Amino acid sequence: MTAATPVAASEAAPGPGLHQPVRAAVAAGELVLAVALVLLAAWCWNRGVLRSAYPVEDHAPLESTRYLGNWIASAVGLGTAAGVLVLDAVRQVLLAVRTRGREQVAEADV
């Protein structure tokens, strides 16, 4: 049997780095999806709030508001998902633009 020989870090095959410009396209897609989720959340919120007015003789009409929990909860969940997508889009943009390897930093300084 042969023993495995250690390979130096510089000789090892480089894996995919963090600097990948494709991440910017992923971030753009996430932002579009986040906007769609916010619009859907606003629609759900409006469906969850019902206002009614009942006429009363010699007085102002009696107004009441009814909240439907399933629609309100859906709106909150969709808004939370949109927030998570925006945070991930920011992370993707930072990884696509700002991260450079040590070799690239050394080349940029020369």
Side-chain angles (χ1 to χ4, degrees):
M1 292 190 70
T2 60
T5 58
V7 178
S10 61
E11 295 175 7
L18 292 176
H19 178 67
Q20 297 175 359
V22 175
R23 290 180 182 265
V26 172
E30 287 180 342
L31 287 176
V32 169
L33 185 58
V35 168
L37 288 178
V38 166
L39 292 175
L40 190 59
W43 179 77
C44 286
W45 187 272
N46 288 332
R47 294 275 313 222
V49 178
L50 300 176
R51 291 185 173 87
S52 300
Y54 302 101
V56 178
E57 293 181 20
D58 299 332
H59 293 288
L62 176 64
E63 296 181 6
S64 65
T65 303
R66 181 178 175 200
Y67 296 99
L68 304 175
N70 56 343
W71 289 107
I72 301 295
S74 297
V76 170
L78 290 168
T80 302
V84 169
L85 282 175
V86 168
L87 286 176
D88 190 56
V90 169
R91 183 186 72 90
Q92 294 285 354
V93 167
L94 290 177
L95 289 176
V97 175
R98 296 179 69 186
T99 304
R100 298 187 301 178
R102 293 182 184 199
E103 297 85 22
Q104 292 175 345
V105 172
E107 291 173 6
D109 291 339
V110 175

